[in-house]
């Protein structure tokens, strides 16, 4: 079905044709004729004439309109418009084409023929023959035979368009050509004008009847000989001459000349120049002329693609390793070369266009072919370079006046284009400098002079751009972007093709250093990853560099570093990124190449060093490399090797660090801490500051001295040799403002590793990353505190309030970062006070008292300065913790603790003496050698160093004395005693000691010295015994929560504490001197019945030795728990701590045997499973065996018999082996650590109630119930010195001696539960024993199982009891029996108890028996079970 839409000639019009349809159509046609427009101008208009004729024709074909009506309509308008019939035939020709091609309408073709045939009388047959197809004409019977008509048509067309006028050459006069040649051969623009020459040529043609085409050919020949007259003579003559003939004649004639030379070897350059000049002046069309040139475009593209494929294959073969010897001998001489392409007329024409300065038509030829295909021809590239020289030379002379210009001279026929004189001209409409340079690309290397010109122009522009105000920069933004494009696609790729040209490399760096490192690195990335794939020559250059780099690296050794370094330097001048990419890939595989490579890279330029920094960052950020080993517990070797290489190369050479530091910062912001290894290595190598847990004791002692002592003896390396590199690192950090952000990010990342980054991370790896992050923070903070001046450090770092509140920095890290600030503020305030005092009038005093008064003035001045700084700081830290915290310790003490350092507490006199002696030995060694100028200067330096060390030691001693005086002044305000001593010690350990003891090795020693200092200062409300007991009792939880490095620091802290205790344990006189009358060793406050006064009882020496044994036992017990846990971290941490505390633990032979047994078990079990644990166990086992001679038996370590002071009743100290005491100590310690004293929750109250109920007996005195409940509520025996004791003395004395004895408050200095609970347990011991041995064993087993962490039965049998004597066991049984009988008598007789002295003595004997019973309970229980 034919689907045609009729918008004008509708069906209704056809039906009502006679009535109104005919008049409607006639009116429409008449309106179109009256408009006076032709049918071709009605395109797009509605109801145009074409549409009317078109629809009317189809309505007729469909039978809806009669053909006679259509014929009458055409006949009527034929007279009115002479073009109407032509318009009708045009529409019919279109309908004829539709009927011949559209399948649906082919059926109407016959009707159409009949319709047209009916119009033979109305329409001229010639018009139909002109418009219709031959087949249609045949069907209309307007022509007879189709073939005959076609032949006739071709002959007519040939005669009209192709047949040339024949000239009778014999009739031509040779005189005419001679005169013409004479005129064209003697041209002079001054002698003859183009108009005159043209008239002469016309007259010769007319006079001698010579061929005009040959005359035009002679004109072109003369043009070739004299192209310099192109503007003045030939172009005007040819332009006028072509007006007399067809313009295509000249194009055909020039093309005929090129066709002639296609058969010869080469086309003359003069013909190319003439053709180019004709094209430039629009006398010849470029595309018309290219049709006459060879070879064709397809063949050129095919050859180019073949050449590119050959280059890629050659590049691939150059970079792979050939193992077959036969393949290595293969001849490689058939490499592809662009210059060997056969003669090419199209490219020659392009070269000629460039020579005459016609860039417009030249680039048109270039765009017809593949990129870089045309400019791969060296001659074309040189022609473009010459054109660029000429164009930019004025700008170069203006912007670089100090350099000599080398602009080449241009030929006379060169068309003078607009030359560039300033930067805005570069963006002019007719200026194409950027386009020409970008098109030239890497081929600029063919003209190093042009390349240097472009570089210097760009350098001058970037200098002006960055020096211009911000409001003017938008005007230069477009030029800035184009200049960056030149650097990326022209300058650096051209440098890759310049072999060993260091001068150009220096010029490029002069431009690149003006750009920020972000832009530079982006350009380096384009150069390395994109530019080398854009051009075949760059592919070959890259392959050659890779091949040579491999050759050099295979032969690199420590002995030939100099020779190979020079070879690397030559390669680096052209393609540094490719060279370093290959070198870094080998360094990541073989870390033994790091040293030789670092030494070999000393022949590089600044540009190549900058490229090396970029390549390092790119290698670090490679997403295709796994940063972890396959076990997911260790960092990959390639990352460790790359980090080590970074540190070494950045220390030795001046390479910008900004990009690398920013990369580390970005990784931290993304929550990735692995790359902190880079920062750690860089800081360590460049500053000499390293954080190592293997630091020796001598180094540790030197580290808490002055800065000079630290530099000389505190580190493994020499810091004075890193002065330059340290300054470079500092400058990079400050220039990019990265010092504070890196510190904050590392401080935050410490917890981020545990809570954010460790979702799928192995526990061992998490610990390593946490240690790495923490160590890097400490190392980086120490570096900043040393390198930054105090004033600058104070300006750049915010206050601790800002760090903790805004940046959410943990308190320990915040105090670590701000500690130098507050020390500087105190020193500044001290200087201000000193100046104020100097301005006051001085009072005349005696000489004897002047020195002491001056010292006191300095001390008071320092105290005032500290008060001015620490006072406001104490108010700031008040918001860091809950207000309940400050009920136990004051903000002032908290601030003092965290702002002081080991430098303030102790003077390392031994370290100073050792270093001074070492320097003196160096002086003696210099004196023994021959004297010369260098050694004399070295000796003078050593002597000055000795003086400086002595002055520094004296200065530190004065400072130490002032700090000690300040601490004495403040000690009354430190511990407020608003709660119990137990809670005070808990908060002290929780907020101060434990966080700082694991912060660094120096802080671990500081914590031990601070505890010792608190003891020596006799600080109020500070119990040294309770603090030590909390430190050494049940450390298994602490061990399990530490990382490896934290374990090492914690072990060092324990070692220092054990060392202090050992001194007191070994010497009674020293103990009496340092602990005898000190409040930290107060054990009992006893109320006297006579006068109600209180008396403090001190822990005597022998009881202190018992307590020391208990601590040794407790440490053994906790460590054995960790060693038998089967957990990797617990076993590792326990072994690390054991190694650290080996000088003082174990001290008893039996405890050492128990540890040795567990160590041997670990060695056996972990040898194959976990080799790292096996290595630690082997190391500790050897050290322990070497120390066996220093171990002592238990009876030597402490006297196992009960001291007389215990029997007298004045002081009762429980032995550390008492099971009940151990239970209460552990349970109370754990309870106080998990729940604060102020908590009033029902669960906590019920728990304490159940514990008290379990320990009380029915025989407990009702009269002491109030005091017991009060003491129990207050929380333990550690609070024996509080006001409750004094209130107790006002109570009435008990009626009986037993009640009086029960009322006496006896305190164990190492327990953390209430003293009343202790006494009640002792009083009820006899009643517990009365139930028989089986019930007592059940009760003891029940009590042993009540702790959070109990020892297994097997371990209980193996662990030695503190007392193992058989005589003590017998005595225990005898005394136990007497206690049972006495208890029975008391139970039966009720009030028949005797009150004489003998009964008192028996009662005291029973108390002693109870104590001994508890001491030997563990041993007795083990014996019974056995």
């Amino acid at each position: 079905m034919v689907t045609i839409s009729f918008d004008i000639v509708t069906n209704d019009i056809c039906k009502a044709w006679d009535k109104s349809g005919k008049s409607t159509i006639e009116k429409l046609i008449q309106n179109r004729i009256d408009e006076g427009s032709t049918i071709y101008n009605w395109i797009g208009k509605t109801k145009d004439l074409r549409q009317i004729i078109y629809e009317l024709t189809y309505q007729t074909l469909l039978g809806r309109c009669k053909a006679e009506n259509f014929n009458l309509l055409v006949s009527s308008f034929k007279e009115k418009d002479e073009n109407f019939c032509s318009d009708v035939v045009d529409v019919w020709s279109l309908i004829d084409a539709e009927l011949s091609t559209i399948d649906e309408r082919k059926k109407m073709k016959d009707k159409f023929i009949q319709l047209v045939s009916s119009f033979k009388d109305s329409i001229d047959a010639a018009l139909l023959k002109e418009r219709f197809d031959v087949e249609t004409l045949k069907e209309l019977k307007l022509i007879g035979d189709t073939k005959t008509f076609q032949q006739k048509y071709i002959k007519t067309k040939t005669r009209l368009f192709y047949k040339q006028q024949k000239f009778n050459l014999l009739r031509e006069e040779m005189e005419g050509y001679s005169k013409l040649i004479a005129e064209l051969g003697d041209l002079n623009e001054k002698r003859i004008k183009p108009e005159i020459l043209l008239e002469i040529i016309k007259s010769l043609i007319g006079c001698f009847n010579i061929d005009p085409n040959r005359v035009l050919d002679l004109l072109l020949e003369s043009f070739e000989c004299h192209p310099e007259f192109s503007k003045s003579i030939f172009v005007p003559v040819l332009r006028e001459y072509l007006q007399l003939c067809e313009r295509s004649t000249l194009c055909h004639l020039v093309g005929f000349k090129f066709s002639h030379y296609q058969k010869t070897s080469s086309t003359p350059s003069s013909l190319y120049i003439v053709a180019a000049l004709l094209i430039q002046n629009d006398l010849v069309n470029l595309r018309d002329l290219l049709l006459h040139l060879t070879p064709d475009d397809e063949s050129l593209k095919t050859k180019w693609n073949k050449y590119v494929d050959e280059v890629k294959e050659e590049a691939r073969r150059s970079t792979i390793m050939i193992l077959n010897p036969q393949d290595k001998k293969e001849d490689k001489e058939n490499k592809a070369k662009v210059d060997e392409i056969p003669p090419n007329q199209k490219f020659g024409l392009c070269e000629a266009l460039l020579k005459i300065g016609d860039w417009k038509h030249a680039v048109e030829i270039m765009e017809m072919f593949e990129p870089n295909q045309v400019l791969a021809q060296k001659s074309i590239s040189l022609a473009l370079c010459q054109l660029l020289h000429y164009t930019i030379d004025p700008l170069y002379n203006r912007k670089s006046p100090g350099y000599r210009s080398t602009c080449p001279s241009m030929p006379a026929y060169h068309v003078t284009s607009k030359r560039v004189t300033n930067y805005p001209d570069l963006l002019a409409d007719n200026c194409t400098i950027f386009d020409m340079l970008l098109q030239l690309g890497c081929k600029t290397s063919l003209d190093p002079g042009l390349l240097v010109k472009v570089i210097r122009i760009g350098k001058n522009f970037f200098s002006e751009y960055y020096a211009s105000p911000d409001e003017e920069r938008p005007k230069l933004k477009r030029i800035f972007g184009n200049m960056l494009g030149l650097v990326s696609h022209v300058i650096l790729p051209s440098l890759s093709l310049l072999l060993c040209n260091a001068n150009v490399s220096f010029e490029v760096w002069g431009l690149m250093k003006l750009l920020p490192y972000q832009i530079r690195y982006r350009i380096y990335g384009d150069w390395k990853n994109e530019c080398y794939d854009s051009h075949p020559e760059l592919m070959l250059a890259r392959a050659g560099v890779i091949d040579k780099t491999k050759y050099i690296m295979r032969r690199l050794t420590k002995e030939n570093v100099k020779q190979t370094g020079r070879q690397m330097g030559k390669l680096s001048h052209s393609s540094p990124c490719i060279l370093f990419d290959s070198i870094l890939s080998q360094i990541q595989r073989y870390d033994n190449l790091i040293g030789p490579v670092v030494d070999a890279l000393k022949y590089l330029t600044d540009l190549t060093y900058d490229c090396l920094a970029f390549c390092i960052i790119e290698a670090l950020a490679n997403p295709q490399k796994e940063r972890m080993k396959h076990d997911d517990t260790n960092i990959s070797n390639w990352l460790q090797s790359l980090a080590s290489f970074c540190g070494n190369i950045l220390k030795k050479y001046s390479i910008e660090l900004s990009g690398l530091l920013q990369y580390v910062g970005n990784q931290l912001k993304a929550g990735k801490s692995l790359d902190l290894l880079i920062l750690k290595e860089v800081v360590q190598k460049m500053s000499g500051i390293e954080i190592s847990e293997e630091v020796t004791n001598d180094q540790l002692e030197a580290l808490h001295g002055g800065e000079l002592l630290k530099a000389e003896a505190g580190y493994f390396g020499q810091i004075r040799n890193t002065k330059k590199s340290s300054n470079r690192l500092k400058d990079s950090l400050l220039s990019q403002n990265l010092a504070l952000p890196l510190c904050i990010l590392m401080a935050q990342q410490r917890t981020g590793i545990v809570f954010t980054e460790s979702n799928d991370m192995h526990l061992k790896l998490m610990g390593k990353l946490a240690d790495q992050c923490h160590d890097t923070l400490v190392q980086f903070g120490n570096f900043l505190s040393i390198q930054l001046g105090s004033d600058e450090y104070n300006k750049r770092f915010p206050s601790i309030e800002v760090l903790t509140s805004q940046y959410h920095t943990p308190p320990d890290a915040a105090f670590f970062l701000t500690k130098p600030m507050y020390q500087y503020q105190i020193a500044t305030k001290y200087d201000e006070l000193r100046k104020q005092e100097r301005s006051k009038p001085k009072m005349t005093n005696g000489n004897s008292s002047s020195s002491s008064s001056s010292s006191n003035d300095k001390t008071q001045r320092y105290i005032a300065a500290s008060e001015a700084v620490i006072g406001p700081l104490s108010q700031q830290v008040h918001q860091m913790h809950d207000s309940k915290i400050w009920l136990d310790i004051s903000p002032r003490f908290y601030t003092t603790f965290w702002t002081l350092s080991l430098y303030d507490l102790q003077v390392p006199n031994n370290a100073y003496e050792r270093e001074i002696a070492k320097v003196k030995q160096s002086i003696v060694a210099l004196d023994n050698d021959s004297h010369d100028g260098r050694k004399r200067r070295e000796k003078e330096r050593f002597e000055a160093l000795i003086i400086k060390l002595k002055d520094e030691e004296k200065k530190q001693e004065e400072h130490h004395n002032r700090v000690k005086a300040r601490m004495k002044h403040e000690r009354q305000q430190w511990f407020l005693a608003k709660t119990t001593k137990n809670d005070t010690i808990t908060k002290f350990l929780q907020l101060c000691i434990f966080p700082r003891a694991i912060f660094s090795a120096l802080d671990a020693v500081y914590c031990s010295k601070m505890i010792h200092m608190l003891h020596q200062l006799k600080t109020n409300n500070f119990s040294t015994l309770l603090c030590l007991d909390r430190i050494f009792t049940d450390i298994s939880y602490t061990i399990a929560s530490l990382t490896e490095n934290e374990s090492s620091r914690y072990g060092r802290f324990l070692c220092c504490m054990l060392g202090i205790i050992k001194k007191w344990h070994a010497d009674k006189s020293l103990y009496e001197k340092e602990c005898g009358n000190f409040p930290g060793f107060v054990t009992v406050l006893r109320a006297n019945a006579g006068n109600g006064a209180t008396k403090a009882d001190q822990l005597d020496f022998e009881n202190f030795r018992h307590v020391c044994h208990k601590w040794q036992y407790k440490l053994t017990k906790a460590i054995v728990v960790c060693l038998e846990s089967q957990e990797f971290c617990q076993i590792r941490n326990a072994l690390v701590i054991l190694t650290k505390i080996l000088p003082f633990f174990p001290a008893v032979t039996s405890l050492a045997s128990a540890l040795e047994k567990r160590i041997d078990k670990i060695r056996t079990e972990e040898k194959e499973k976990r080799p790292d644990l096996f290595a630690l166990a082997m190391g500790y086992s050897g050290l322990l065996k070497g120390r066996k001679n220093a171990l002592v038996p238990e009876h030597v370590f402490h006297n196992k018999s009960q001291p007389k002071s215990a029997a007298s009743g004045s002081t009762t100290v429980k032995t550390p082996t008492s099971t009940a005491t151990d239970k209460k100590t552990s349970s109370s310690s754990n309870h106080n650590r998990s729940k604060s004293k102020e908590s009033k929750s029902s669960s906590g109250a019920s728990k304490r109630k159940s514990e008290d109920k379990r320990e009380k007996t029915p025989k407990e005195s009702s009269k002491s119930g109030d005091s017991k409940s009060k003491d129990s509520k207050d929380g333990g025996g550690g609070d024996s010195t509080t006001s409750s004791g004094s209130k107790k003395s006002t109570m009435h004395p008990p009626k009986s001696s037993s009640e009086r004895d029960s009322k006496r408050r006896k305190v164990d200095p190492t327990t953390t539960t209430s003293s009343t609970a202790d006494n009640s347990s002792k009083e009820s011991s006899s009643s517990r024993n009365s139930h028989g041995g089986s019930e007592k064993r059940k009760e003891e087993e029940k009590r042993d199982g009540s702790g959070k962490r109990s020892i297994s039965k097997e371990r209980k049998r193996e662990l030695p009891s503190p007392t193992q004597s058989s005589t003590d066991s017998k005595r225990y049984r005898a005394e136990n029996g007497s206690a049972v009988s006495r208890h029975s008598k008391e139970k039966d007789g009720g009030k028949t108890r005797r009150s004489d002295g003998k009964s008192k003595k028996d009662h005291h004997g029973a108390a002693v028996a109870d104590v001994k019973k508890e001491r030997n309970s563990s041993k007795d229980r083990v014996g019974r079970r056995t």
Side-chain angles (χ1 to χ4, degrees), residues 392-406:
I392 68 173
D393 192 62
L395 179 62
Y396 176 75
N397 292 332
R398 182 180 177 184
K399 299 298 181 180
S400 303
Y403 299 100
R404 183 174 59 89
S405 176
T406 56

Side-chain angles (χ1 to χ4, degrees), residues 821-831 862 865-866 869-870 966:
M821 293 171 48
Y822 299 120
Q823 293 174 352
Y824 168 73
Q825 293 175 9
I826 293 175
T828 305
K829 188 66 178 178
Y830 178 83
D831 293 338
Y862 179 78
S866 301
V869 176
I870 302 299
R966 167 195 162 190

Side-chain angles (χ1 to χ4, degrees), residues 910-927:
N910 295 333
Y912 279 108
E913 292 175 1
R914 284 195 304 269
E915 192 60 28
I916 290 174
K918 187 189 301 182
V919 176
K920 288 181 179 179
Q921 290 179 0
S922 301
I923 294 176
V924 173
L926 287 175
D927 291 339

Side-chain angles (χ1 to χ4, degrees), residues 1285-1317:
S1286 61
K1287 291 181 180 179
K1288 187 76 173 291
S1289 63
T1290 62
M1291 298 175 62
H1292 296 288
K1295 294 182 180 180
S1296 64
S1297 61
S1298 61
E1299 290 176 348
R1300 183 169 63 252
D1301 291 338
S1302 66
K1303 292 287 287 182
R1304 183 177 298 136
R1305 305 180 64 192
K1306 302 174 183 179
V1307 181
D1308 184 354
T1310 63
T1311 60
T1312 58
T1313 58
S1314 66
S1315 60
T1316 307

Side-chain angles (χ1 to χ4, degrees), residues 304 307-308 311 338 371-372 532-541:
W304 173 256
Y307 164 72
V308 172
V311 167
V338 180
N372 304 313
Y532 283 96
D533 295 327
S534 64
H535 200 282
E537 292 188 37
L538 290 174
M539 296 179 191
L540 292 174

Side-chain angles (χ1 to χ4, degrees), residues 1174-1188:
F1174 171 76
L1176 287 174
M1178 283 292 293
Y1180 177 73
S1181 177
L1183 294 174
L1184 183 60
K1185 290 179 181 178
R1187 199 178 171 275
K1188 278 190 174 181

Side-chain angles (χ1 to χ4, degrees), residues 880-902:
M880 294 171 58
H881 299 288
D882 190 78
S883 58
K884 296 180 181 180
I885 297 294
W886 310 121
L887 297 176
D888 299 307
I889 60 175
S890 65
R892 184 58 176 267
F893 171 74
Y894 183 77
T895 307
T896 301
F897 176 85
W898 282 101
T899 53
L900 291 179
S901 64
L902 197 55

